[in-house]
Amino acid sequence: MNTPTRSFRIAAIGLDVLHQTRLKLASSMLLAERMEVVLQPWPGDACDLLVIGLDHADAARALSEAHAANVPTLSIARRYADPAPGRLPHGATVRDINEQLSSLLQAAPSVDRPADGVPLLLQLASSTGSNLHLLQRGAITVLVDTATRSIALPPTTTLSELVSQLDDVAWSGSVIDAPTFQHQYAYRLPQRYSFEALYFCIARHRPLLLPAPAEHAPMKLRHWPDLNPDDVPSTWLLAIACLHARPWQPNALAAACQMPRNTVQSLFCAAVASGLALTQEPAVPQTSRRRDAGDSRFFSWVARRFGLNLFQGSTS
């Protein structure tokens, strides 16, 4: 079995162009050791390592801040004649820097991570407030907009790719303001998805990340969910239409739509997590045949196209 790729964040300060370039090359070489590195300026979010040029005017302040935050450091300075753990002489080669990075990152203590098992992005999506949260993991950057209940992604990142990495512990986050997003990140994160699309994508690919609703509770959708067509199978649409029409219990919906019980449960989880679930309304009794004529004809037609008996067993 391959060793999982680990993600690290390295901050740098006080390096000249030569050493900054060599640091980038040395960091990229760590992929051969299944170590993914993102370089960032100092100060910034919590990082795994600070590379510092001690000959720079701000070096003493940065070194003090790193020690106070318990961040390991790799110092580069003219005063060093020979390399040693955590330090390199001026003019260090790419190979010298790469070896130090590998050694120091392997031994680096864990930095600030979510501890309760809930992915950081989902913690923010369920929080109140109107903030812009910038999340980073490796080369991926995501914006969580709690005011509009949406996320913004890079043009090359799909929603399913993001979902596959939600529970990686290497995510870090910071709050930014709207002008900063517009000037620095809007063009890099052009794709917008609603929280509803996110949760239904999770329901398909990673349903265990969602909290389970009350067992056997009848549920109805508040409105038709905002769905990303690439992440919702067409076989789900009839079940979603049923939930949009009236309350259903999981077992009855699974039987009526001829779907696996665990798939229906995933839909219920997505509805609850996205705030679309209405669970207080009573389910329609099995003996009741009164329904809106227009909706009845439409859903009956859909059911017949799928070869199903839509109105049998709406409760169980």
Side-chain angles (χ1 to χ4, degrees):
M1 180 181 296
N2 290 333
T3 303
T5 300
R6 292 160 296 165
S7 297
F8 298 95
R9 283 158 290 150
I10 296 178
I13 189 172
L15 300 179
D16 57 25
V17 175
L18 174 64
H19 290 91
Q20 187 71 34
T21 302
R22 291 180 177 178
L23 174 61
K24 291 180 180 178
L25 291 173
S27 299
S28 65
M29 291 168 58
L30 290 173
L31 280 173
E33 302 179 49
R34 304 192 69 80
M35 301 169 72
E36 184 181 47
V37 169
V38 172
L39 296 178
Q40 63 186 49
W42 178 273
D45 299 324
C47 64
D48 299 282
L49 179 67
L50 171 63
V51 180
I52 181 170
L54 290 184
D55 300 318
H56 192 271
D58 292 331
R61 175 186 55 81
L63 193 60
S64 176
E65 292 173 349
H67 289 163
N70 197 30
V71 175
T73 60
L74 171 59
S75 302
I76 300 176
R78 298 180 186 276
R79 71 189 74 167
Y80 300 139
D82 300 301
R87 69 184 196 187
L88 287 170
H90 184 84
T93 65
V94 172
R95 180 177 179 180
D96 292 334
I97 298 174
N98 172 262
E99 290 176 350
Q100 287 272 2
L101 295 182
S102 177
S103 175
L104 292 170
L105 290 175
Q106 295 277 7
S110 298
V111 298
D112 212 5
R113 312 290 192 210
D116 57 5
V118 179
L120 178 58
L121 190 151
L122 296 186
Q123 291 184 40
L124 297 174
S126 62
S127 65
T128 58
S130 302
N131 295 318
L132 298 177
H133 300 270
L134 194 69
L135 303 186
Q136 292 180 303
R137 177 213 168 273
I140 299 178
T141 301
V142 181
L143 181 85
V144 180
D145 186 343
T146 56
T148 62
R149 293 184 55 79
S150 66
I151 59 174
L153 300 182
T156 57
T157 302
T158 66
L159 200 54
S160 59
E161 289 172 343
L162 171 67
V163 166
S164 70
Q165 302 180 64
L166 279 184
D167 50 350
D168 192 302
V169 297
W171 287 99
S172 64
S174 60
V175 177
I176 62 173
D177 56 29
T180 299
F181 172 72
Q182 289 298 327
H183 291 127
Q184 299 185 27
Y185 296 100
Y187 72 98
R188 295 164 52 186
L189 305 173
Q191 297 190 92
R192 279 278 180 164
Y193 295 98
S194 68
F195 285 176
E196 292 176 13
L198 170 67
Y199 284 122
F200 277 87
C201 181
I202 295 173
R204 180 183 185 184
H205 299 289
R206 304 291 303 282
L208 293 180
L209 293 179
L210 297 176
E215 191 68 19
H216 306 302
M219 190 196 75
K220 180 180 185 292
L221 290 178
R222 193 180 303 274
H223 59 74
W224 186 272
D226 178 39
L227 304 173
N228 180 27
D230 293 334
D231 296 309
V232 177
S234 59
T235 53
W236 286 19
L237 297 181
L238 181 59
I240 293 173
C242 291
L243 290 172
H244 181 247
R246 57 179 178 167
W248 286 77
Q249 291 179 328
N251 288 337
L253 186 62
C257 297
Q258 299 180 9
M259 296 176 66
R261 173 64 167 74
N262 61 336
T263 300
V264 171
Q265 188 70 15
S266 296
L267 289 175
F268 275 53
C269 292
V272 171
S274 60
L276 293 181
L278 292 174
T279 57
Q280 300 302 314
E281 300 181 29
V284 177
Q286 184 173 356
T287 56
S288 174
R289 295 297 177 184
R290 294 196 307 168
R291 51 193 177 265
D292 180 83
D295 287 347
S296 172
R297 287 194 296 271
F298 171 73
F299 289 118
S300 295
W301 176 82
V302 173
R304 287 196 300 272
R305 289 295 300 270
F306 282 87
L308 307 177
N309 189 349
L310 177 61
F311 297 106
Q312 179 178 353
S314 63
T315 62
S316 64

